Structure formats: structure tokens, C-alpha cells
Amino acid sequence: MQNSTTPERKLHRLRSFVLRYKWWFTTLVVFVFIFLSVFVLASRSMAKLDARIQEVFDGPKWSIPARVYARPLELYAGLNVDRYTVSAELKRLGYQLTANPSSRAGQFQFSPTGLKVNTRGFNFADSFEPATPLVIEWNNNQITSLTTTAGKTVPITRLEPQLIGRISPAQTEDRLLKKLEQLPEGLINALLAVEDPKFYQHNGLSFRGIARAIWVNIKERRFAQGGSTLTQQLIKNLFLTRERSVRRKLTEWPMAIALERRYEKDEILQAFVNEVFFAQDKSRAIHGFGLASLYFFDKPVQELETHEYALLVGLLKGPSYYDPLRHPKRALTRRNLVLRIMHRDNFLSDEALAAAQAKPLGLNSATGLQQQPAYLDLVKQQLTRDYSTEDLHRNGLNIFTNFDPVAQNKLEQAVIAAFEQIGQEQFLTPEQLAKLQTASVVTRADNGEVLAVLGGREARYAGFNRAIDANRHIGSLIKPFVFAEALAQPELFNLASIIYDLPVSLEQPNGDIWSPNNFSGESLGPVMMLDALTHSLNQASVNLGLELGVENIVTALKQYNLTKEIKPLPSLLLGAVELSVVDVAALYQSLASSGFNTPLRAIREVQASDGQLLQRYPFKVQQRLDSATNHQLNYALQNVMRAGTGRRAYRYLPGDVAVAGKSGTSNEQRDSWFAGYDGQHSIVVWVGHDDNTPTPVTGSRGALEVWARAMANLNATSLRFSAPSSVDYVSINTTTGERTASDCRDALQLPFHRDFVPQGNPEALLSSRCK
């Protein structure tokens, strides 16, 4: 019997083994040969690789879009604001309401008479606001004290502003850069334990990982695993494509070694935590732990708890496969695996592991940035005058605006309620009501700060912005400016002056005859200027405007912030000029701010990514109406609200609140407008159809409904209406416009320029006109 261990049999077995595993051996030999060849070639071109890496790594690695912030909520003793408004602001900022707050920032608690808040702090353009544990006390709806938990009085504090949007090209990446020291220590421990335990020991490559990957790929007969270190992953993301191939891998290895040779481990790790991909939010790719924390949990990354950052670390293996929004069970399983690895490596105690695994995913209920597209359009419009596209799309500017989330919310609520009311009053079908659109702008009456912008009934729709892009005939909104031009000549005109509401016929340049009518179809003949404006008489306004000169009206409009070129045609006197809601808001701002030209301001300051203040947009003012003229015009516009086309507003406003305003309706009711102001806010509203077809509402039945509800939601306050020293009040006969005694039946006290008070002997008139 032949010995089974003869050399021939051994050779036969070896040959059989080689033939059976021929593919494995061939792959291994080729893999090793290519690996060695690449390193030989790479050593010759390492200088080029090193230069390329240095160029990218030392320069701006990412295009960071400009980030746009709302106004910060300022808190101080004496502020009239209820604590529920403050708590709503805290919730918008991602603060956690808790029954037992710790010293961690980003938490708040209700107390019997106030709130306890651990603020986060913020690097504002003008100064740094430190994180502070606050106690805020209220009496009714006024803050009575603001102190630290240690009892130290705080004169004033600012909550961090809400992020309302970003300015960048479509289909782009987004990230919020963070330094390593800004991340929880546990997050770094979890990241390294799961992704690269030997990160601080290897030189960019893990040969054990490479060997394991080769073995898996041989068994799978495909490129299934890469054995990548964090350094390799960073190289892949910054320099290479995402394809899984031997060629890419062999390019990645020498580059990883080159990166490790030039840069410190912490620099590489910091770049990784800002680069790594987490999710896709529509057109926005979410990169980096800083932005991922806000996206998934609505809180800064430094406030993440163990179970939360374990989820983020777990997502790195497969952001789509483990997406917690679409696959919560997979995500939970993966998160718990990360927690067990942390426990295995002694980063978690038994108790901490059990507590973290018992927690739900805890995702933000409304992931995705709640942008304010209409307001952002206005911000972009103003920014493009001063900054290039490169600045706005790449350099990570911080834009601080005057946007007020409270005002925006109250405006949106007013629109919803108003359109429901309009539909009921006008008997509109759901389809008819759905076609009706709106736009609005809210500003501070005294300084032109733009607080809220609505570009359509769908406030979050980032499309056609009717507040900025829609230019429509403004109708009777033009009339106050015609009357202001007359009142600015007190030697000729005052509110008691008689003007004529009579038909007028003018030949147009094309030969057509223009003959405007009043809304009622009747001509009232001689009327006081006050009544003509109160009841919005078309013919009286045209006759007055023609007497003043249409060219002079155009010149005057330019002094009220109107920047568009308009032709001096008679039809202008009835608002046959196309303006946007923002244009009209700029016009009315001068009236709301006591006759001072105050350009609209959406932006406060611009800050560089390193915190340096680049530019301020200060309050600018220039007087356009003298105090006497402004007072008389405001009197008339208040009369519009009490006795004219604006009187329906008092269905929602308190009767003792004095407001001023004017309705506007274009031909065939194609456009419904209302513009007006109280002591704090100026609001302009447009209602109409996008296709410019007639609407079922006039200015006083459509836009006014929105305006009045918005003003009521904003807690309307009376206009400050004390007469200046240049004004005297005297009694006028409302029929004749002549001076009369104060106790006459038809007497009305009106304001006049002190130097041009109507003359007469009231005592003599008493016997002749009041009997």
C-alpha cells in the first residue's frame, strides 16, 4: 500500500487546493501587486499629492451659505410681554421644557410667578451674550424682575436669535462648523469607538482593517468592504468620488498617509466631524454633527444627551438605510448597538447604558429648517446691493435681521381667519376662495424696521413672492399723498377747504376720453377736503390733483421712498400705477413715522464667519412733511377709520384705539388694498387674483379684513396724537367749511396750521348761523 504522505500525493493535494481556490489566490496576488505598485508610483508623486492636500485643507474646505437670523428677543424689567409669549419663543429656539431643570443650557421651567431659564449665550455682531441661568418674574403681563439664580440683578438680556433661513444656490450642501471642544466628550468617544478605535495610533491606514476588508471582498467576490479609517473617509469625501472600486481605494491610501504626515490628529478629526454626511433635507444636504443635531433634535450639538449623539454616530454607517425618520426601528437598533460598544469600551456604566437604551429616539417633531421665504427674498434684495454672490454663497456670513417671529405668526393667523370670513360673507365656493391670494408687510411705525412679510397664503412656499414681485394698481391708496401735497400749502388748502366732486373728462394721448366716476356713481358737488378723503371721492381727488399739477404729485411721491419711475398721467391720481406691497409699505412708512422719510430696513448687521462685524444698517431719517401738515393728514386718515371706508376695522379693534388708514380698490375690483398704522405698527395688505381677474371684494371688504385682524392680533395701540405747537383747533361749519362757534349744531373742531386759521367772529356767527 502506497504511503498517503508521499511527495506526489502532497503535490496533488496542493494542486487541487490551488485549483479550487484559484479565484481567491488570483485576487489576493493581484491585490497585493497593485497595492505595492501604487505605493511605488505614489512615492514618486507624493509631492504633488501633498501640495493638492495642503491647498484644499488649508483653504476654505467648504462653501458655507450665509445664515439669516431673526431679531433677538430682549428681556428686561418693565417689558410688557406675557410669559407664554416668552415660553413660545424659547420653544421656537429648541429650549426643553422640564420639571426639574439642571444647570445645562437650553432648558426652562415654569414657576408660580415666572420662568427659570438657562440661556445658551450667543456671539452677536456687537457683543457676546454669555449663557446665564435666569429667573424671570411677572406681574400680570409685565416683567417685574430679571435676576440670575444667585440673585444678581440683570439689567437686560438677549435670547439667541432664531435661524430663519440661509442664502445659497439650490442643490447644495449645508453645515454648521464646530470645533472639537464644542462637541460633547462622549460623542467623540462614541465616534472613535465605533468608526476608528486606533485613530490616534495609526498613520492613516489600518492594516488590520485592510486585511479584514480583503478577506470579506474575496468571500463576497465583490467590493463589499473598504476597511477605512476616519482619515480615509475624510479623503474620500473631500477629494475623491463615492464610487466603490479598487482604483479609488488605491488612490485613497497614499493620500491618507500624506494627510496624516502634514496635519495633527485633532485637525483631521475636526474636519471629519464637520464634513460627514447625515441626511438630505429636500435640496439641502445635511453635513456635520453641528447641523445634524439641529436637524434631528432641534438643539445645539453641545446639548445632546448620550442616546442622542449615539444615534448620530450610528447613522454614519448608512444615513439612508438607518434614516430615523423613515426607518425608526433600524435606527433604534443601530443606536443601541453604538451604546453597547461604548459600554464595552468602558465609556458607559451599566446604569448609564440601561438608561440610554430605554430612551426613545427623541427626534424633533418638525425636522427641517422652518424658513421664511418671503422675508428672505427681501433680505437678499437688500444684500445684493452690498455683497457679491461669492460672499453670500461661500463665506458663511451671519445676517442679523429685524424679522419678528411673533409678528409673523400673528399676521399668518389673521390671514387664515380673514379668508374664512371673506368666503362666508361673499358666499364663495372653496374653489373660488382658493384662487384668492394675498400679500402683506408689517413694519415698525417709528423706524421702518420690517417685522414680517407674507408673500402668499402659503407662508412657507418658496416661490412667487407677491409682496415683492407682484406689481398691481394701488387704487385709492394714492389719495393721501395727493391731499398731503395740498395740505403742505396751508395758505391755499386745509381740511375745511371746499373742493369740487364734479365730473371731469380728459383726452388721453391715444385719443381716448378719460372720465372717472365715484364708486357710488354719484357726484356730490362742493365738499370739504376732509369729507373727500374720508369717503374716497374719485372726482374730487382728480380735480384737486389737477389743480396741484400731476408732475408735482410725481415729484412728491419720490420724496416718500418711491424709487420706481412713473409717468405723470392724470390716471395716476386714482392709483393707476403698478407698485408692489413693499413699495406701498415704503410710501406709507413716512406717514406712519410722523412725516419722516424712514427707508424700510430688513437687515440690522452683517457678521463675518469669525464673528467680526462687517456692516451695520443704521436707522436713517429725513423729514418730508412738516408737523402741521402731518398732523392734519393723520387727523383725516383717522376719520377714514371712524367714518369712512375703514370703519369696519372696529369690529376687531377696541373703540378707544385711534388708528389711521386708507383702503384702495383698482378698476373692476381687480385689487383690494388696505394700508394703515397705529402707535406701533404699519401694515399694508393686498388681496387679489394672480391672473388679474376681478375679485369679489373691495379694499374695505377684503384687504381691510386681514389688516384689522392683524392689527388686533398685534394688540393695537393708539396713535400718539398730541397737536404740535404749529397747529390750532377751531370749530368749522361742516356744510360751508367756514369758521363757526363750537356749540353750533353742525360744528366740528378741525386742526389748522396756526398761521392760516380761518378768520371770522364766532360770536357774531353764533346768532346768524346757529339759530
Side-chain angles (χ1 to χ4, degrees), residues 445 592 634 638 657-660 677-680 717-722:
N634 269 280
Q638 287 183 63
V657 172
V659 295
Y677 44 93
D678 70 349
Q680 292 184 314
T717 59
S718 282
L719 287 165
R720 295 176 287 275
F721 199 64
S722 56

Side-chain angles (χ1 to χ4, degrees), residues 291-431:
L291 188 59
S293 177
L294 293 177
Y295 178 74
F296 286 111
F297 302 111
D298 195 24
K299 63 169 70 172
V301 66
Q302 56 267 33
E303 294 178 16
L304 291 180
E305 298 179 42
T306 303
H307 68 287
E308 293 168 331
Y309 60 66
L311 174 62
L312 296 185
V313 170
L315 292 180
L316 300 185
K317 184 176 177 63
S320 179
Y321 185 80
Y322 293 109
D323 183 349
L325 300 175
R326 294 185 298 165
H327 308 296
K329 290 184 178 179
R330 290 180 191 171
L332 186 64
T333 300
R334 178 65 183 168
R335 183 204 71 178
N336 289 344
L337 173 60
V338 172
L339 292 170
R340 289 196 299 274
I341 293 174
M342 294 177 66
H343 176 260
R344 179 200 69 191
D345 292 350
N346 298 317
F347 293 124
L348 289 180
S349 65
D350 294 345
E351 296 78 9
L353 172 65
Q357 287 186 325
K359 293 284 184 72
L361 290 177
L363 299 174
N364 172 26
S365 59
T367 54
L369 179 61
Q370 297 298 308
Q371 298 205 59
Q372 299 293 336
Y375 199 95
L376 286 179
D377 286 341
L378 185 61
V379 170
K380 293 175 191 175
Q381 189 181 74
Q382 295 189 8
L383 281 175
T384 51
R385 303 169 193 165
D386 303 314
Y387 295 91
S388 67
T389 301
E390 177 80 4
D391 290 331
L392 298 177
H393 291 174
R394 293 181 60 87
N395 294 336
L397 300 180
N398 292 318
I399 315 298
F400 297 97
T401 74
N402 293 307
F403 177 79
D404 185 339
V406 176
Q408 181 74 28
N409 181 257
K410 291 184 176 181
L411 176 61
E412 293 172 13
Q413 290 176 351
V415 167
I416 293 170
F419 270 72
E420 183 178 346
Q421 183 71 22
I422 290 170
Q424 293 174 359
E425 288 187 354
Q426 304 300 325
F427 304 104
L428 302 180
T429 65
E431 293 76 16

Side-chain angles (χ1 to χ4, degrees), residues 443-678:
T443 65
R444 267 189 57 174
D446 59 346
N447 63 14
E449 291 180 354
V450 182
L451 306 181
V453 179
L454 193 65
R457 288 175 64 181
E458 295 183 33
R460 303 294 168 267
Y461 175 67
F464 182 59
N465 188 339
R466 295 164 187 84
I468 295 175
D469 301 323
N471 293 295
R472 308 295 291 254
H473 283 190
I474 67 171
S476 295
L477 293 188
I478 200 77
K479 290 175 182 175
F481 301 95
V482 176
F483 282 73
E485 183 67 8
L487 293 171
Q489 305 173 54
E491 70 280 8
L492 299 176
F493 299 99
N494 56 55
L495 292 179
S497 295
I498 299 298
I499 57 177
Y500 295 91
D501 187 56
L502 296 172
V504 59
S505 295
L506 297 173
E507 185 175 350
Q508 300 288 78
N510 61 3
D512 292 343
I513 301 299
W514 183 61
S515 299
N517 295 314
N518 290 329
F519 185 77
S520 66
E522 300 177 357
S523 300
L524 302 184
V527 293
M528 285 201 310
M529 274 182 57
L530 174 64
D531 293 331
L533 184 55
T534 297
H535 301 292
S536 197
L537 301 179
N538 288 340
Q539 293 174 342
S541 300
V542 170
N543 282 312
L544 176 62
L546 292 174
E547 185 176 352
L548 295 169
V550 180
E551 294 83 357
N552 294 330
I553 302 299
V554 171
T555 300
L557 288 172
K558 292 179 179 178
Q559 297 178 339
Y560 292 101
N561 295 320
L562 184 64
T563 57
K564 291 186 176 179
E565 290 296 322
I566 54 177
K567 296 180 180 179
L569 300 175
S571 56
L572 165 69
L573 301 172
L574 295 183
V577 55
E578 293 185 343
L579 299 179
S580 70
V581 176
V582 170
D583 293 331
V584 175
L587 278 174
Y588 269 77
Q589 188 63 43
S590 293
L591 305 185
S593 57
S594 303
F596 288 89
N597 183 341
T598 54
L600 301 187
R601 293 186 304 137
I603 306 169
R604 292 185 176 190
E605 298 124 350
V606 177
Q607 181 189 61
S609 58
D610 62 0
Q612 179 185 359
L613 178 63
L614 296 180
Q615 186 169 356
R616 276 200 172 96
Y617 290 78
F619 173 52
K620 297 179 181 179
V621 64
Q622 186 174 4
Q623 189 167 9
R624 292 305 185 197
L625 281 178
D626 65 86
S627 57
T629 302
N630 178 73
H631 187 83
Q632 292 175 81
L633 186 63
N634 269 280
Y635 180 98
L637 293 177
Q638 287 183 63
N639 206 52
V640 170
M641 303 304 297
R642 293 292 185 184
T645 54
R647 60 187 179 275
R648 281 170 55 92
Y650 283 97
R651 295 194 303 174
Y652 309 105
L653 301 178
D656 60 347
V657 172
V659 295
K662 185 70 186 74
S663 63
T665 308
S666 64
N667 285 344
E668 300 181 7
Q669 295 184 187
R670 297 178 188 274
D671 303 281
S672 167
W673 290 88
F674 202 89
Y677 44 93
D678 70 349

